[in-house]
Amino acid sequence: MKIEQFEDKGLAHFSYAVLSECTRQIVLIDPARNPQPYYDFARDHAATIVAVIETHPHADFVSSHLEIAQATGAVVRVSKLLGADYTHEAFDDGGSFTIGKLTFRALNTPGHSPDSISIVLSREGHDVAVFTGDTLFIGDVGRPDLRETAGNLTAKREELARQLYHSLRDKLMTLADDVAVYPAHGAGSLCGKALSGAKSSTIGAEMRDNYALRPLSEADFIQELLADQPFIPKYFGYDVALNKAGALSYAPSVQQVPRLAVGTSLEVGVLVVDTRPEATFKQGHIPGALNIQQGGKFETWLGSIVGPEEPFYLVAEDEAALADVLQKTAKIGYETHIKGTLAGSPSWTQKLPALNVENFRAHLDNYTIVDIRNVSEAATAPLFDGALSIPLPELRERAQEVPGGRPVVVHCAGGYRSAAGSSILAAALAGTPVFDLGEAVKSFQLAAITH
């Protein structure tokens, strides 16, 4: 037996391949959009992919389960509650299947979503691991507030939290202490609020260290779980529906995205997402463009700022950068919304002014300061008295709340988000100078700590 964990650091996503070494057969669990790593694993082990299990219809990434099934003949197994639109076999409480010496057993564990399952892996009758999807993470549990409007089954967050309380205690916590826990996400995921940096654990360790598994009444659990959950990106509901239906095959869909020559006239009124470095963007971009830089969390911010109903152009610094952002765009299923891509730095003349930081420091009252960090960040570490707090995911819709009449300075915690935020406000507040505080915010953080 071999359990291979695949990690997508951008989305903090884990997927798994379980290999039966005696039959050379593989079962995949929660595969990412690009199926090639799983095909490579199968080739390297001279094995065949025979089943793909989805623990639930994921909100934060697009799965390749349907593509893999169509390419390999593997069976897709999901809960009957999911209401999948593709051919599948129901996999719920009481259901199991065996390859070689390995048996996979389904547990219905609703809570993160109504249709969530966990999969217990046994070897020769002994439980060795459980794949918990978004039900149980290392140090945390899945958030129960994503399915009020999406999916085959919708449910209120309080009811899902109640279900999660019992899924954990009546199903997962009854497993033996030495059973390994393999979750679908790690630290940095928006599917929970306090995930550990560890990539696996055991039932015993989680019962000892995980705040959600300590002795709690149902009411106290619900109250604690629902408090301080992070924001919900705009694309989450879209991806639930896409995964329920099954996505287009990855490579052909990316290849069909139109590539435009530098100098091509872009359709007026269509959003431009410019992924070049902020310094390059500020020196020249097309009017109205949003600067969502290529980076480790590009796909999260793209899907948080741009809604799934919006077509857009995608601009990258060069061909290599374009390939990277296209791959990240496809991870959330947005590649079909791209009107066209441009690689390079066209001779656009729209600029963003540079901030005189020392003048700003000396005359804070002369500026409208917009803090685009999350509400919890702004509350726990305030930097400027009177700053207007509008989290970045809400900034496009709330830009008109920023008053005119004074120059505007946008800040976040480190400079990445404020590049996007300043581009949003510059596009929305015609005639008002908009400045990006950028990485200079760190000097104000240091001053606040010293003070």
Side-chain angles (χ1 to χ4, degrees):
M1 179 187 74
K2 179 174 184 178
I3 298 174
E4 183 79 4
Q5 184 181 61
F6 300 81
E7 181 180 12
D8 177 336
K9 293 184 178 179
L11 292 173
H13 165 224
F14 298 130
S15 57
Y16 300 91
V18 182
L19 169 68
S20 167
E21 292 176 303
C22 60
T23 64
R24 316 309 299 176
Q25 292 177 307
I26 293 169
V27 174
L28 300 179
I29 299 170
D30 293 334
R33 178 74 190 276
N34 183 356
Q36 194 58 50
Y38 314 106
Y39 297 158
D40 293 343
F41 179 82
R43 181 203 59 215
D44 293 345
H45 292 81
T48 302
I49 299 171
V50 296
V52 184
I53 303 174
E54 289 282 278
T55 56
H56 61 292
H58 302 279
D60 59 318
F61 72 93
V62 175
S63 173
S64 59
H65 57 290
L66 179 59
E67 177 179 359
I68 292 172
Q70 292 172 336
T72 67
V75 175
V76 180
R77 287 185 167 88
V78 298
S79 170
K80 63 184 178 185
L81 301 175
L82 194 154
D85 299 336
Y86 46 81
T87 301
H88 65 280
E89 290 190 9
F91 199 43
D92 294 280
D93 274 348
S96 66
F97 65 96
T98 298
I99 60 170
K101 301 176 182 177
L102 308 180
T103 297
F104 297 80
R105 183 171 84 249
L107 298 177
N108 287 98
T109 50
H112 171 70
S113 67
D115 39 33
S116 287
I117 59 173
S118 297
I119 302 102
V120 179
L121 172 64
S122 302
R123 186 176 189 275
E124 298 184 284
H126 178 70
D127 293 346
V128 295
V130 59
F131 301 90
T132 54
D134 288 19
T135 299
L136 174 62
F137 298 130
I138 312 307
D140 198 4
V141 293
R143 64 189 300 177
D145 57 347
L146 302 180
R147 290 289 292 275
E148 293 188 312
T149 59
N152 187 54
L153 294 177
T154 58
K156 295 294 184 183
R157 59 186 64 192
E158 291 79 7
E159 172 58 18
L160 285 173
R162 189 190 66 77
Q163 293 178 4
L164 185 59
Y165 178 84
H166 291 284
S167 291
L168 294 167
R169 283 156 179 78
D170 301 343
K171 301 285 184 68
L172 297 179
M173 291 170 67
T174 65
L175 298 172
D177 283 358
D178 63 350
V179 170
V181 174
Y182 291 109
H185 290 294
S189 168
L190 290 171
C191 290
K193 60 181 179 181
L195 283 71
S196 162
K199 298 179 181 179
S200 64
S201 181
T202 64
I203 290 293
E206 289 311 296
M207 289 178 64
R208 183 184 66 240
D209 300 331
N210 190 318
Y211 79 94
L213 304 192
R214 73 184 194 275
L216 286 169
S217 69
E218 181 182 286
D220 288 345
F221 174 86
I222 293 172
Q223 182 177 26
E224 186 166 348
L225 181 60
L226 293 179
D228 300 324
Q229 287 288 355
F231 69 93
I232 301 174
K234 293 181 172 70
Y235 77 94
F236 269 23
Y238 171 77
D239 275 16
V240 169
L242 193 54
N243 283 317
K244 177 177 175 293
L248 297 171
S249 294
Y250 168 74
S253 189
V254 170
Q255 289 164 2
Q256 288 178 9
V257 175
R259 272 66 167 176
L260 306 178
V262 173
T264 300
S265 297
L266 305 186
E267 186 177 329
V268 175
V270 175
L271 179 66
V272 175
V273 175
D274 192 326
T275 69
R276 295 175 299 160
E278 54 88 14
T280 305
F281 177 86
K282 290 182 172 68
Q283 287 302 309
H285 56 271
I286 196 166
L290 305 187
N291 185 206
I292 307 175
Q293 298 173 78
Q294 177 196 16
K297 293 290 184 183
F298 168 79
E299 56 271 51
T300 295
W301 290 115
L302 175 67
S304 299
I305 296 170
V306 178
E309 74 285 355
E310 295 186 83
F312 60 92
Y313 291 104
L314 193 63
V315 177
E317 188 172 30
D318 52 36
E319 291 292 343
L322 177 60
D324 180 69
V325 293
L326 264 176
Q327 178 254 338
K328 291 176 177 175
T329 301
K331 282 162 54 178
I332 63 169
Y334 271 25
E335 82 281 3
T336 55
H337 308 331
I338 300 175
K339 296 276 289 186
T341 64
L342 289 166
S345 294
S347 55
W348 291 324
T349 56
Q350 188 77 22
K351 300 179 185 298
L352 279 181
L355 178 66
N356 183 324
V357 176
E358 293 313 312
N359 180 274
F360 170 65
R361 193 189 308 276
H363 304 286
L364 295 176
D365 290 343
N366 291 344
Y367 297 85
T368 296
I369 302 173
V370 182
D371 181 349
I372 61 168
R373 295 175 296 171
N374 299 333
V375 171
S376 59
E377 292 178 274
T380 56
L383 282 181
F384 301 102
D385 292 338
L388 186 60
S389 174
I390 306 178
L392 178 57
E394 304 172 17
L395 192 58
R396 289 181 69 197
E397 292 75 21
R398 298 177 58 189
Q400 296 308 318
E401 294 178 24
V402 179
R406 290 189 300 180
V408 172
V409 171
V410 181
H411 83 85
C412 61
Y416 179 88
R417 284 176 288 178
S418 61
S422 58
S423 70
I424 290 171
L425 291 185
L429 304 176
T432 298
V434 177
F435 298 97
D436 174 14
L437 184 54
E439 294 185 0
V441 71
K442 295 174 183 175
S443 66
F444 293 90
Q445 292 166 341
L446 181 62
I449 293 171
T450 303
H451 179 73

mmCIF file of all heavy atoms in Angstrom, residues 353-372:
data_model
loop_
_atom_site.group_PDB
_atom_site.id
_atom_site.type_symbol
_atom_site.label_atom_id
_atom_site.label_comp_id
_atom_site.label_asym_id
_atom_site.label_seq_id
_atom_site.Cartn_x
_atom_site.Cartn_y
_atom_site.Cartn_z
ATOM 1 N N PRO A 353 -0.017 57.500 -9.753
ATOM 2 C CA PRO A 353 1.041 58.327 -9.168
ATOM 3 C C PRO A 353 1.734 57.629 -8.004
ATOM 4 O O PRO A 353 1.138 56.815 -7.300
ATOM 5 C CB PRO A 353 0.281 59.561 -8.692
ATOM 6 C CG PRO A 353 -1.113 59.069 -8.422
ATOM 7 C CD PRO A 353 -1.376 58.005 -9.443
ATOM 8 N N ALA A 354 2.999 57.975 -7.796
ATOM 9 C CA ALA A 354 3.761 57.447 -6.655
ATOM 10 C C ALA A 354 3.489 58.314 -5.427
ATOM 11 O O ALA A 354 3.358 59.538 -5.517
ATOM 12 C CB ALA A 354 5.246 57.441 -6.982
ATOM 13 N N LEU A 355 3.412 57.695 -4.276
ATOM 14 C CA LEU A 355 3.125 58.396 -3.032
ATOM 15 C C LEU A 355 4.417 58.922 -2.413
ATOM 16 O O LEU A 355 5.409 58.185 -2.306
ATOM 17 C CB LEU A 355 2.433 57.452 -2.047
ATOM 18 C CG LEU A 355 2.104 58.016 -0.667
ATOM 19 C CD1 LEU A 355 1.054 59.120 -0.763
ATOM 20 C CD2 LEU A 355 1.621 56.909 0.270
ATOM 21 N N ASN A 356 4.399 60.186 -1.996
ATOM 22 C CA ASN A 356 5.493 60.727 -1.185
ATOM 23 C C ASN A 356 5.214 60.290 0.266
ATOM 24 O O ASN A 356 4.400 60.896 0.959
ATOM 25 C CB ASN A 356 5.535 62.247 -1.296
ATOM 26 C CG ASN A 356 6.712 62.847 -0.522
ATOM 27 O OD1 ASN A 356 7.079 62.346 0.555
ATOM 28 N ND2 ASN A 356 7.300 63.896 -1.065
ATOM 29 N N VAL A 357 5.863 59.210 0.681
ATOM 30 C CA VAL A 357 5.527 58.586 1.956
ATOM 31 C C VAL A 357 5.802 59.526 3.127
ATOM 32 O O VAL A 357 5.026 59.589 4.091
ATOM 33 C CB VAL A 357 6.304 57.260 2.117
ATOM 34 C CG1 VAL A 357 6.039 56.648 3.494
ATOM 35 C CG2 VAL A 357 5.905 56.277 1.029
ATOM 36 N N GLU A 358 6.886 60.291 3.069
ATOM 37 C CA GLU A 358 7.200 61.176 4.191
ATOM 38 C C GLU A 358 6.200 62.312 4.297
ATOM 39 O O GLU A 358 5.830 62.731 5.397
ATOM 40 C CB GLU A 358 8.636 61.700 4.039
ATOM 41 C CG GLU A 358 9.681 60.609 4.190
ATOM 42 C CD GLU A 358 9.427 59.707 5.417
ATOM 43 O OE1 GLU A 358 9.179 60.244 6.519
ATOM 44 O OE2 GLU A 358 9.455 58.459 5.250
ATOM 45 N N ASN A 359 5.753 62.822 3.157
ATOM 46 C CA ASN A 359 4.711 63.851 3.197
ATOM 47 C C ASN A 359 3.417 63.279 3.766
ATOM 48 O O ASN A 359 2.729 63.921 4.560
ATOM 49 C CB ASN A 359 4.479 64.400 1.781
ATOM 50 C CG ASN A 359 3.411 65.484 1.764
ATOM 51 O OD1 ASN A 359 2.221 65.216 1.674
ATOM 52 N ND2 ASN A 359 3.863 66.734 1.884
ATOM 53 N N PHE A 360 3.112 62.050 3.349
ATOM 54 C CA PHE A 360 1.915 61.366 3.882
ATOM 55 C C PHE A 360 2.039 61.168 5.383
ATOM 56 O O PHE A 360 1.106 61.429 6.146
ATOM 57 C CB PHE A 360 1.760 60.025 3.165
ATOM 58 C CG PHE A 360 0.723 59.114 3.759
ATOM 59 C CD1 PHE A 360 -0.621 59.450 3.748
ATOM 60 C CD2 PHE A 360 1.100 57.898 4.332
ATOM 61 C CE1 PHE A 360 -1.579 58.596 4.285
ATOM 62 C CE2 PHE A 360 0.157 57.043 4.871
ATOM 63 C CZ PHE A 360 -1.191 57.393 4.860
ATOM 64 N N ARG A 361 3.215 60.745 5.841
ATOM 65 C CA ARG A 361 3.432 60.495 7.264
ATOM 66 C C ARG A 361 3.247 61.781 8.080
ATOM 67 O O ARG A 361 2.706 61.747 9.192
ATOM 68 C CB ARG A 361 4.846 59.951 7.469
ATOM 69 C CG ARG A 361 5.109 59.351 8.857
ATOM 70 C CD ARG A 361 6.596 59.025 9.049
ATOM 71 N NE ARG A 361 7.123 58.210 7.973
ATOM 72 C CZ ARG A 361 7.036 56.882 7.913
ATOM 73 N NH1 ARG A 361 6.440 56.243 8.894
ATOM 74 N NH2 ARG A 361 7.525 56.215 6.890
ATOM 75 N N ALA A 362 3.659 62.890 7.491
ATOM 76 C CA ALA A 362 3.606 64.157 8.215
ATOM 77 C C ALA A 362 2.226 64.822 8.161
ATOM 78 O O ALA A 362 1.909 65.687 8.992
ATOM 79 C CB ALA A 362 4.664 65.109 7.650
ATOM 80 N N HIS A 363 1.409 64.418 7.169
ATOM 81 C CA HIS A 363 0.122 65.113 6.993
ATOM 82 C C HIS A 363 -0.995 64.096 6.756
ATOM 83 O O HIS A 363 -1.711 64.148 5.753
ATOM 84 C CB HIS A 363 0.213 66.086 5.805
ATOM 85 C CG HIS A 363 1.323 67.083 5.923
ATOM 86 N ND1 HIS A 363 1.279 68.166 6.780
ATOM 87 C CD2 HIS A 363 2.544 67.132 5.309
ATOM 88 C CE1 HIS A 363 2.395 68.864 6.676
ATOM 89 N NE2 HIS A 363 3.193 68.263 5.789
ATOM 90 N N LEU A 364 -1.162 63.181 7.680
ATOM 91 C CA LEU A 364 -2.151 62.115 7.502
ATOM 92 C C LEU A 364 -3.559 62.671 7.303
ATOM 93 O O LEU A 364 -4.376 62.100 6.564
ATOM 94 C CB LEU A 364 -2.132 61.179 8.719
ATOM 95 C CG LEU A 364 -0.841 60.383 8.952
ATOM 96 C CD1 LEU A 364 -0.942 59.581 10.248
ATOM 97 C CD2 LEU A 364 -0.552 59.455 7.777
ATOM 98 N N ASP A 365 -3.854 63.804 7.952
ATOM 99 C CA ASP A 365 -5.210 64.345 7.880
ATOM 100 C C ASP A 365 -5.555 64.875 6.495
ATOM 101 O O ASP A 365 -6.722 65.176 6.210
ATOM 102 C CB ASP A 365 -5.379 65.471 8.905
ATOM 103 C CG ASP A 365 -5.386 64.945 10.335
ATOM 104 O OD1 ASP A 365 -5.591 63.720 10.504
ATOM 105 O OD2 ASP A 365 -5.170 65.743 11.258
ATOM 106 N N ASN A 366 -4.544 65.002 5.646
ATOM 107 C CA ASN A 366 -4.816 65.516 4.298
ATOM 108 C C ASN A 366 -5.290 64.419 3.341
ATOM 109 O O ASN A 366 -5.576 64.697 2.177
ATOM 110 C CB ASN A 366 -3.552 66.162 3.712
ATOM 111 C CG ASN A 366 -3.186 67.446 4.435
ATOM 112 O OD1 ASN A 366 -4.016 68.014 5.160
ATOM 113 N ND2 ASN A 366 -1.954 67.911 4.249
ATOM 114 N N TYR A 367 -5.351 63.184 3.844
ATOM 115 C CA TYR A 367 -5.673 62.053 2.968
ATOM 116 C C TYR A 367 -6.886 61.287 3.505
ATOM 117 O O TYR A 367 -7.114 61.240 4.719
ATOM 118 C CB TYR A 367 -4.493 61.074 2.896
ATOM 119 C CG TYR A 367 -3.232 61.664 2.278
ATOM 120 C CD1 TYR A 367 -2.323 62.391 3.065
ATOM 121 C CD2 TYR A 367 -2.950 61.499 0.930
ATOM 122 C CE1 TYR A 367 -1.172 62.930 2.515
ATOM 123 C CE2 TYR A 367 -1.795 62.028 0.372
ATOM 124 C CZ TYR A 367 -0.905 62.743 1.174
ATOM 125 O OH TYR A 367 0.234 63.269 0.627
ATOM 126 N N THR A 368 -7.601 60.673 2.599
ATOM 127 C CA THR A 368 -8.572 59.636 2.966
ATOM 128 C C THR A 368 -7.854 58.303 2.903
ATOM 129 O O THR A 368 -7.320 57.925 1.848
ATOM 130 C CB THR A 368 -9.770 59.622 1.996
ATOM 131 O OG1 THR A 368 -10.475 60.861 2.097
ATOM 132 C CG2 THR A 368 -10.714 58.468 2.324
ATOM 133 N N ILE A 369 -7.794 57.623 4.028
ATOM 134 C CA ILE A 369 -7.045 56.364 4.104
ATOM 135 C C ILE A 369 -8.030 55.204 4.065
ATOM 136 O O ILE A 369 -8.994 55.163 4.855
ATOM 137 C CB ILE A 369 -6.204 56.306 5.400
ATOM 138 C CG1 ILE A 369 -5.239 57.498 5.439
ATOM 139 C CG2 ILE A 369 -5.432 54.980 5.470
ATOM 140 C CD1 ILE A 369 -4.487 57.628 6.753
ATOM 141 N N VAL A 370 -7.797 54.273 3.154
ATOM 142 C CA VAL A 370 -8.687 53.118 2.995
ATOM 143 C C VAL A 370 -7.913 51.856 3.356
ATOM 144 O O VAL A 370 -6.904 51.522 2.720
ATOM 145 C CB VAL A 370 -9.235 53.025 1.560
ATOM 146 C CG1 VAL A 370 -10.194 51.842 1.436
ATOM 147 C CG2 VAL A 370 -9.935 54.322 1.159
ATOM 148 N N ASP A 371 -8.379 51.187 4.388
ATOM 149 C CA ASP A 371 -7.771 49.943 4.873
ATOM 150 C C ASP A 371 -8.525 48.779 4.238
ATOM 151 O O ASP A 371 -9.702 48.560 4.532
ATOM 152 C CB ASP A 371 -7.893 49.903 6.406
ATOM 153 C CG ASP A 371 -7.257 48.660 7.014
ATOM 154 O OD1 ASP A 371 -6.909 47.729 6.272
ATOM 155 O OD2 ASP A 371 -7.129 48.637 8.265
ATOM 156 N N ILE A 372 -7.862 48.000 3.356
ATOM 157 C CA ILE A 372 -8.572 46.937 2.635
ATOM 158 C C ILE A 372 -8.257 45.556 3.201
ATOM 159 O O ILE A 372 -8.515 44.548 2.557
ATOM 160 C CB ILE A 372 -8.273 46.986 1.126
ATOM 161 C CG1 ILE A 372 -6.778 46.776 0.851
ATOM 162 C CG2 ILE A 372 -8.754 48.294 0.536
ATOM 163 C CD1 ILE A 372 -6.481 46.536 -0.616
#
